[in-house]
């Protein structure tokens, strides 16, 4: 899958998995931080994103420190998925 296509799919999945019904994929910038001042996600959302990675891409994140490095923004998540996806 091409990077642009993966990023678009990822944005749609983030909206769906986190029930962010007031957002569209166009509202999420590739380099916008997912947590804090960016998209404003919280620790519960990070757990949901870890479940998303496991369910959709076969990526199992066991170490929370690793999760913090991956769940930075859409760009970082897409790079990690491309390098590590098993599905």
């Amino acid at each position: 899958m091409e990077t642009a296509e993966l990023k678009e799919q990822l944005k749609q999945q983030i909206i769906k998995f986190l029930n962010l019904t007031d957002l569209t994929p166009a509202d999420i910038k590739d380099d916008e931080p997912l947590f804090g001042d960016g998209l404003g996600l919280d620790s519960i959302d990070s757990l949901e994103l870890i479940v998303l990675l496991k369910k959709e891409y076969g990526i199992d994140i066991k170490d929370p420190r690793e999760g913090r490095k991956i769940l930075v923004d859409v760009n970082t998540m897409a790079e990690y998925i491309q390098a590590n996806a098993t599905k």
Side-chain angles (χ1 to χ4, degrees), residues 5-86:
E5 187 181 345
L6 175 59
K7 288 178 186 179
E8 184 66 22
Q9 176 179 305
L10 201 48
K11 290 175 188 181
Q12 291 171 0
Q13 290 169 329
I14 289 169
I15 290 168
K16 179 182 168 193
F17 268 72
L18 302 181
N19 200 27
L20 303 173
T21 55
D22 54 333
L23 293 179
T24 67
D27 294 329
I28 303 172
K29 294 175 182 45
D30 293 349
D31 59 353
E32 177 180 31
L34 296 175
F35 299 89
D37 291 337
L39 200 53
L41 302 182
D42 60 24
S43 58
I44 302 297
D45 295 324
S46 70
L47 296 174
E48 292 289 333
L49 291 176
I50 289 171
V51 170
L52 180 154
L53 290 174
K54 173 75 173 165
K55 190 173 179 182
E56 300 293 323
Y57 302 100
I59 296 172
D60 195 9
I61 300 172
K62 292 184 171 66
D63 183 350
R65 288 179 302 232
E66 184 183 2
R68 281 195 287 275
K69 292 177 190 170
I70 300 163
L71 303 175
V72 175
D73 56 28
V74 172
N75 285 334
T76 307
M77 287 182 70
E79 287 171 19
Y80 191 85
I81 289 167
Q82 286 180 318
N84 298 283
T86 60

